[in-house]
């Protein structure tokens, strides 16, 4: 089993947990929990595979991903009934999934022979899309669109760092450093409210309809 | 014309009616009605075809689907102006579309040689995705995400029943039984408020941001 | 560089500007601005390419599109800080993007050998989908779903006009006329509140749940 596949499977598991926790916040029923966990866990990789024309998409090619998701979702429900999860558990699961998926997505785009800017975009998209779909389906404003601690920025920085390092150090080491960068940036951003400047459109010169 | 194609065309028609009724609830204009009807009717099958790499997607391959949608949407508008549709008409059209699309989606996944769990997921996704897209576009929380009468659960149960029966009785009979199961479960769920247990996340141990 | 590619690149630029302006209305941060601009600019063409199985999708095939988007988004931010954009600037950028993308989408569908109704749908979808995704991500009701000045109707009319003209006059001339028709219809609709009739569902005969 390759390093890349292990990364992806781990990402699937933590995103499934983050999806199940988000569903618990919304008091969904058990099938809703499994659906939210599944969509969060496979959304990014599915979009990546469809855009890159990689068929069969990863969870059809390897249904072990689905069983991991079901187990992670049910495990989260059972665990949470006994021990309420610590605060920020959703944020931590989400940050880890972001890190794992962004780098695995970047590596897959790289393997498809794509250039730097597309590799960074595909990595970021693989990382954020599952959470975006989860937020849209549960009628939340997607995290990438909220003002607040940096989110997609961490993915972009980590994917770019990975691409740079990968030219001078072994690929798997560069991948681990890139992932650590993403998770650390995202968690630091939440702890210390790291943000980047906001663009607010001034009053238009005439009244806007 | 195969049994499968008849199922799909019928599903397209009832989902177009359900989309047009949903648009009428929102007082959309006539083009908005046709767009909502179209998106509801082709959303699930299109997502299925893209995920399974079936090209051309079904409504490009067979544009008769589009004319059925336009006729169903306009027919709904004309009918509704004279005779306000009976209560629950939207729920009934939606339940029938769900039943038809879930089983036809499952059969297509099966024909692609996919395993049981993917067949059930593809069936469910074909059944629910059109309604999800309709709800997202009209800024409603998708029905699969609302607490309340079971919805996706009916698709999962019906697709699984179809798969089991299809091993012992003729496929078309199994398909009809699977569809009847989905429509009956969904309508019974609405009538008698059948629900499944809810997962509510307890208060986190520390305050969550 | 073909006429079609010039159209598409121009459409990408004006939709990126419209996305950046929409992000400014929501006070997103700079990465949010670039993401919104990118999604608005590539959403329609990406959906078209995936549905038509055209791979690599246009912005992976030609990454110049991405640099145009980044430049247009940053240019919009820098410009808007000094000179607040005139009222209706967003509406005008959006109308131009709509015109350019609808006709280029229609031409691509035509080149794929598709029939009239699919060409009109693909054109309209290429025109409106980027804005729909932008609206869904920023938690707005998509413009195609709002009552108010005609929107998708302009695309449908322009694409149909293009198809008719293209049988009797040179294709590029027909394309320009089709685009002018879309932009003019959309801007006239905003100025003079052109609408089409609304479908409102009467009170159901029994109380609806």
């Amino acid at each position: 089993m390759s390093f890349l596949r292990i990364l992806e499977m781990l990402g699937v598991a933590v995103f499934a947990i983050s999806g199940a926790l988000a569903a618990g916040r919304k008091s969904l029923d058990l099938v809703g929990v499994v659906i939210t966990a599944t969509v969060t866990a496979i959304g990014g990789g599915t979009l990546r595979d469809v855009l890159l024309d990689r068929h069969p998409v990863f969870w059809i090619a390897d249904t072990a991903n689905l069983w991991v998701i079901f187990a992670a979702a049910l495990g989260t429900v059972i665990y949470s009934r006994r021990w309420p999860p610590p605060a920020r558990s959703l944020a931590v699961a989400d940050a880890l999934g972001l890190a794992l998926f962004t780098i695995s997505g970047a590596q897959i785009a790289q393997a498809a022979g794509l250039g730097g800017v597309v590799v960074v975009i595909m990595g970021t998209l693989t990382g954020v899309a599952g959470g975006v779909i989860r937020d849209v389906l549960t009628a939340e404003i997607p995290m990438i669109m909220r003002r607040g601690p940096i989110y997609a920025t961490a993915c972009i920085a980590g994917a770019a760092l990975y691409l740079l390092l990968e030219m001078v150090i072994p690929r798997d080491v560069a991948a681990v450093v890139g992932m650590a960068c993403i998770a650390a940036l995202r968690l630091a951003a939440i702890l210390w409210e790291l943000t980047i400047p906001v663009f607010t459109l001034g009053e238009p010169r005439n009244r806007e309809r």
Side-chain angles (χ1 to χ4, degrees), chain A residues 102-188:
Chain A
T102 301
I103 299 300
S104 74
Q107 289 193 323
I108 286 170
Q110 223 182 357
L114 299 171
V117 64
V118 177
V119 168
V120 171
I121 289 179
M122 276 296 158
T124 303
L125 186 144
T126 310
V128 305
V132 167
I133 300 173
R134 176 196 65 207
D135 290 341
V136 166
L137 291 187
T138 54
E140 296 278 331
I141 299 182
M143 241 184 287
I144 50 163
M145 289 299 171
R146 287 180 223 159
R147 260 164 305 163
I150 61 169
Y151 189 79
T153 312
C155 302
I156 296 170
L161 179 65
Y162 159 74
L163 274 186
L164 287 177
L165 288 180
E166 181 262 350
M167 294 188 291
V168 287
I169 61 173
R171 172 169 294 196
D172 288 354
V173 181
V176 170
V177 176
M179 287 187 289
C181 163
I182 295 168
L185 256 179
R186 173 63 188 154
L187 291 173

Side-chain angles (χ1 to χ4, degrees), chain A residues 17-18 20-22 24-25 75-93:
Chain A
I17 293 171
S18 103
L21 290 171
R25 300 274 168 84
T76 304
V77 169
I78 292 166
Y79 177 93
S80 306
R81 293 199 160 206
R82 303 201 175 201
W83 305 279
R88 303 191 194 283
S89 50
L90 175 54
V92 171

Side-chain angles (χ1 to χ4, degrees), chain A residues 46-107:
Chain A
T46 303
L47 186 54
R48 174 201 64 212
D49 287 349
V50 166
L51 290 180
L52 294 181
D53 200 24
R54 291 176 85 225
H55 288 282
V57 297
F58 77 100
W59 53 272
I60 296 178
D62 179 6
T63 52
N65 284 291
L66 298 171
W67 300 110
V68 166
I69 292 167
F70 301 156
L74 292 179
T76 304
V77 169
I78 292 166
Y79 177 93
S80 306
R81 293 199 160 206
R82 303 201 175 201
W83 305 279
R88 303 191 194 283
S89 50
L90 175 54
V92 171
D94 197 78
L96 289 178
L98 216 57
L100 290 157
F101 266 22
T102 301
I103 299 300
S104 74
Q107 289 193 323

